Amino acid sequence: MTADWQERFKTFFGIKWPKLLESLGQTVYMLGLALLIGAVIGLLLALLLVLCRKGGLKQNRMVYAIVNVYVNIVRSMPFIITLVFVFPLTRLIVGKTYGSTAMLVPLVIFISPYMARLIENSLLEVSPGVIEAAQAMGATTRQIITRFLLPEALPSIVLAMTTGTVGLLGATAMAGYVGGGGVGDLALTYGYQRYNFPLLILTIVILVVFVQLLQLLGNRVSGKLRQHR
Amino acid sequence: MIQIDHAVKTFADGKQAVHTLRDVSLTVEKGDIYGIVGFSGAGKSTLLRLVNGLEKPDSGSVTVAGQDLSGLNHKELLLLRRKIGMVFQQFNLLEGKTVRHNVSIPLLLAGTPKKEIEARVKEVLRFVELEEKENAYVSQLSGGQKQRVGIARALATSPDILLCDEATSALDPQTTESILRLLQRVNREMGVTILLITHQMQVIQMICNKVAVMEYGRIVEEGAVLSVFGIPREKVTRRFVRTVINDRIPEKFISVVRNETRNQRVELLKFIGDSVKEPLIANLCRMEGLEVNILGATIQEMQGSVMSVFILQLIGEDALIDRAEIQIDGAGALRERMVFQA
Ligand SMILES: Nc1ncnc2c1ncn2[C@@H]1O[C@H](COP(=O)(O)OP(=O)(O)OP(=O)(O)O)[C@@H](O)[C@H]1O
Ligand SMILES: [Mg+2]
């Protein structure tokens, strides 16, 4: 790219081209890592909910009640509140409360219960008959999870995660504003506050394209997994 | 092979107690095809699930292949389940996976070496006549083929016992018959003891050697199929037997009986196998002063034997009909007097 091109970019959008790239990188970083960790924790919580629920394979009222209430509480808090509320924890884990890495803590705490609910629904869709067949074969609980429950629910889980990821993208924008950087921060700090309308539009376009791509990918993967059903 | 003694099972449905099994005892011998028949909600599935420990009785005991289930720890119970195959009404297969994957799953769970799995899967698929579908996806199969996969999966670990929960209830009559023939081969060629539940008397008639009738959590009648079909004692049993053996007078003839002014009796006769050594009906017709009308007749095949049912209208003096009855009883037929309200 020529310097001339970059110069024009700066006059039009009010920021330098590398700044945009950096923001994009920060968003992808927060989104990717929070998604990865959040999905794993979400999956574990979902499994606890499904196994311990009434009539589940390892029925346990106590565990179910605790996880259920935890998930409900976190899910009923707006992200911005969660974000501020967990500052002490963030400082404990990361050592500071600003920057993309620090934002991972509230993002994971925010997204994992959301994922848990979505994945719980996917797991509950698995035919009880298949689970009964697994039990009749003498499968251990672990085998039922790995050989029956998860493979059967996978296409649905992929779609659930796609929905979760789109929700997470919104949260990264807010986290960015509070100190995490990223595209959302760009839109609010440079676009909104400096009345930079073109930049605002650009960030919106970027976010829209992002969501579209995510959804497309999710649908594709899920469809592929569902191919022979 | 399977022995259930005084099993009781009560579920809590909200505040209400559902008495699903009320003191059920049952003995299945090695080599049996034992059928349990009953209307929906009688407790059949629950009884069947006692056998592989999917359900535990509140009281009473379950003994399978000499092992008391209540004495087994969890791991021993899982091992026992591998020796008991189970087949379901809705097949309960992994629809999105191949036939091979479905059949190999029980072997994978048991930690069987890959080579052996491959060979065994081919073997059982050949037995159920689905070799060519090994790589097909279950979702592409017909109901009958799916049930064959279900049976192949249940047989993969070479079980001694096969439990069938309404295995043919989702299939059309023709497919039902082919699946029943397959189960019969499983029993005869592989020596597998089969315990099946159904609400279709045809299933019992076609392949079972023993039958138990369940109602409201109890076994109300049981025995060899021929004798239960021949002399059903309980009302439910009669209702079930009637679904395969028509022992009613055709509507058209009811008025014939009603309008008869002469002295008459209507008799229901059942002959099992070659139990009739003499030409009974011909002999009755030869009795002086007795008029014999056949109001209905059916023949049913079961258990490699034949059961024929006749409904006779006997017209004549009481003393004469008494003699005719003695003749019938002497000929080895099961006789029952049918009563009509005018
Ligand atoms: N896990 C359970 N919890 C509560 N009630 C149950 C449970 N399992 C069975 N029941 C009740 O027990 C009764 C008998 O059920 P079961 O499934 O054994 O009957 P069935 O004879 O197999 O009927 P069907 O022909 O409809 O399958 C029903 O009233 C059912 O509601
Ligand atoms: Mg049932």
Side-chain angles (χ1 to χ4, degrees):
Chain A
M1 256 167 263
T2 63
D4 177 43
W5 186 91
Q6 292 205 10
E7 202 48 46
R8 253 190 269 165
F9 183 92
K10 171 136 201 318
T11 25
F12 192 69
F13 290 115
I15 55 159
K16 282 192 188 143
W17 169 248
K19 172 72 187 166
L20 179 69
L21 284 185
E22 187 200 340
S23 299
L24 270 174
Q26 285 165 336
T27 293
V28 170
Y29 172 80
M30 284 191 288
L31 192 67
L33 268 184
L35 177 66
L36 196 72
I37 305 167
V40 170
I41 297 174
L43 182 66
L44 292 176
L45 292 176
L47 280 172
L48 280 178
L49 285 171
V50 171
L51 293 178
C52 298
R53 78 199 299 265
K54 194 159 171 277
L57 288 171
K58 294 271 166 194
Q59 192 172 321
N60 187 326
R61 284 171 87 154
M62 191 72 173
V63 175
Y64 180 83
I66 292 172
V67 176
N68 194 39
V69 166
Y70 167 76
V71 166
N72 283 344
I73 289 178
V74 180
R75 285 207 50 208
S76 55
M77 297 214 299
F79 176 62
I80 197 79
I81 309 284
T82 310
L83 181 75
V84 180
F85 191 74
V86 300
F87 265 162
L89 184 67
T90 308
R91 187 170 291 117
L92 196 75
I93 297 174
V94 188
K96 55 183 185 180
T97 59
Y98 56 89
S100 303
T101 305
M103 284 306 121
L104 288 176
V105 177
L107 283 172
V108 166
I109 287 175
F110 167 76
I111 201 62
S112 51
Y114 187 40
M115 287 287 191
R117 273 291 178 240
L118 292 170
I119 296 173
E120 180 194 17
N121 283 331
S122 300
L123 293 175
L124 289 178
E125 279 167 22
V126 175
S127 141
V130 167
I131 305 303
E132 189 187 354
Q135 286 179 292
M137 278 176 222
T140 60
T141 304
R142 191 201 185 96
Q143 287 173 326
I144 292 178
I145 293 171
T146 56
R147 295 237 177 239
F148 297 87
L149 206 51
L150 292 182
E152 282 291 281
L154 197 59
S156 170
I157 290 179
V158 168
L159 281 187
M161 298 237 272
T162 310
T163 307
T165 310
V166 172
L168 184 62
L169 186 65
T172 61
M174 247 181 277
Y177 185 57
V178 177
V183 180
D185 179 37
L186 207 61
L188 292 168
T189 324
Y190 292 82
Y192 177 68
Q193 287 178 359
R194 298 184 189 172
Y195 305 107
N196 183 345
F197 202 64
L199 180 63
L200 208 51
I201 297 287
L202 178 69
T203 52
I204 289 170
V205 168
I206 289 173
L207 288 173
V208 167
V209 169
F210 227 98
V211 171
Q212 292 292 335
L213 286 177
L214 278 172
Q215 196 63 53
L216 194 72
L217 183 72
N219 290 347
R220 277 278 169 87
V221 173
S222 174
K224 196 95 195 151
L225 290 169
R226 229 187 270 266
Q227 201 171 28
H228 296 291
R229 296 193 192 201
Chain B
M1 199 72 181
I2 303 170
Q3 185 151 4
I4 297 174
D5 274 314
H6 303 289
V8 175
K9 181 82 191 179
T10 307
F11 289 105
D13 180 16
K15 285 220 165 64
Q16 219 178 331
V18 183
H19 301 280
T20 303
L21 298 178
R22 317 170 187 239
D23 193 8
V24 174
S25 298
L26 179 85
T27 305
V28 180
E29 309 282 350
K30 191 165 168 39
D32 274 347
I33 302 188
Y34 198 116
I36 300 172
V37 66
F39 292 111
S40 192
K44 305 181 298 291
S45 295
T46 310
L47 179 61
L48 195 71
R49 291 158 55 85
L50 288 182
V51 178
N52 57 5
L54 286 180
E55 216 75 76
K56 288 193 172 47
D58 299 333
S59 68
S61 71
V62 182
T63 313
V64 177
Q67 287 179 291
D68 183 349
L69 262 55
S70 64
L72 302 182
N73 63 32
H74 188 63
K75 208 170 161 202
E76 289 167 332
L77 183 62
L78 294 185
L79 286 176
L80 178 76
R81 283 183 186 159
R82 289 186 190 151
K83 284 286 159 197
I84 305 176
M86 194 164 184
V87 177
F88 307 86
Q89 176 175 4
Q90 298 303 333
F91 323 126
N92 296 347
L93 300 166
L94 303 177
E95 290 274 334
K97 298 278 161 50
T98 61
V99 169
R100 187 200 297 118
H101 181 82
N102 271 279
V103 178
S104 60
I105 274 199
L107 298 164
L108 284 170
L109 298 182
T112 315
K114 222 171 159 204
K115 268 254 162 56
E116 271 174 52
I117 293 183
E118 226 168 274
R120 181 64 187 158
V121 168
K122 283 207 164 32
E123 197 175 3
V124 280
L125 282 179
R126 196 172 317 124
F127 189 85
V128 303
E129 292 163 2
L130 270 186
E131 308 162 81
E132 77 283 9
K133 294 285 182 195
E134 190 175 338
N135 293 310
Y137 287 89
V138 171
S139 55
Q140 303 165 337
L141 303 180
S142 70
Q145 290 172 327
K146 284 182 188 178
Q147 196 56 292
R148 280 171 193 275
V149 177
I151 293 172
R153 177 178 71 176
L155 294 175
T157 48
S158 313
D160 306 319
I161 297 173
L162 189 64
L163 305 175
C164 304
D165 191 342
E166 303 272 6
T168 58
S169 300
L171 307 172
D172 63 61
Q174 210 174 334
T175 315
T176 294
E177 187 167 340
S178 80
I179 294 294
L180 291 178
R181 293 285 163 246
L182 174 60
L183 288 177
Q184 206 162 36
R185 281 181 52 222
V186 169
N187 176 256
R188 288 186 187 155
E189 295 170 28
M190 294 183 155
V192 175
T193 304
I194 298 180
L195 177 57
L196 64 84
I197 61 179
T198 181
H199 59 260
Q200 299 169 307
M201 210 56 177
Q202 293 89 330
V203 172
I204 308 277
Q205 181 193 357
M206 219 179 284
I207 63 167
C208 294
N209 64 328
K210 285 188 201 146
V211 60
V213 183
M214 263 192 106
E215 190 182 33
Y216 305 123
R218 288 200 180 84
I219 290 182
V220 294
E221 196 160 351
E222 66 181 309
V225 168
L226 275 175
S227 68
V228 172
F229 275 59
I231 325 168
R233 294 188 316 266
E234 300 293 324
K235 217 170 153 199
V236 243
T237 317
R238 283 164 186 272
R239 275 177 74 184
F240 273 114
V241 170
R242 197 160 281 155
T243 59
V244 282
I245 298 174
N246 187 5
D247 62 353
R248 286 179 203 251
I249 303 175
E251 284 291 325
K252 273 197 170 163
F253 292 155
I254 290 182
S255 59
V256 173
V257 175
R258 290 234 167 97
N259 297 336
E260 181 57 62
T261 51
R262 290 172 290 173
N263 188 47
Q264 64 164 345
R265 275 178 220 166
V266 178
E267 310 273 2
L268 175 70
L269 271 56
K270 286 182 190 159
F271 305 94
I272 295 171
D274 50 5
S275 65
V276 183
K277 304 278 192 290
E278 48 186 299
L280 176 67
I281 305 228
N283 288 349
L284 289 179
C285 291
R286 250 181 251 130
M287 288 172 78
E288 191 68 42
L290 184 74
E291 191 181 320
V292 182
N293 289 322
I294 298 179
L295 299 180
T298 54
I299 295 181
Q300 289 290 331
E301 234 181 307
M302 68 182 87
Q303 285 291 293
S305 189
V306 180
M307 181 155 123
S308 359
V309 180
F310 287 91
I311 302 170
L312 301 183
Q313 181 189 31
L314 305 177
I315 304 169
E317 303 275 302
D318 265 336
L320 194 58
I321 300 181
D322 284 343
R323 267 176 45 215
E325 286 185 348
I326 292 170
Q327 179 127 23
I328 294 168
D329 297 345
L334 303 166
R335 181 180 59 82
E336 204 179 307
R337 208 180 286 176
M338 298 177 92
V339 186
F340 282 87
Q341 286 136 338

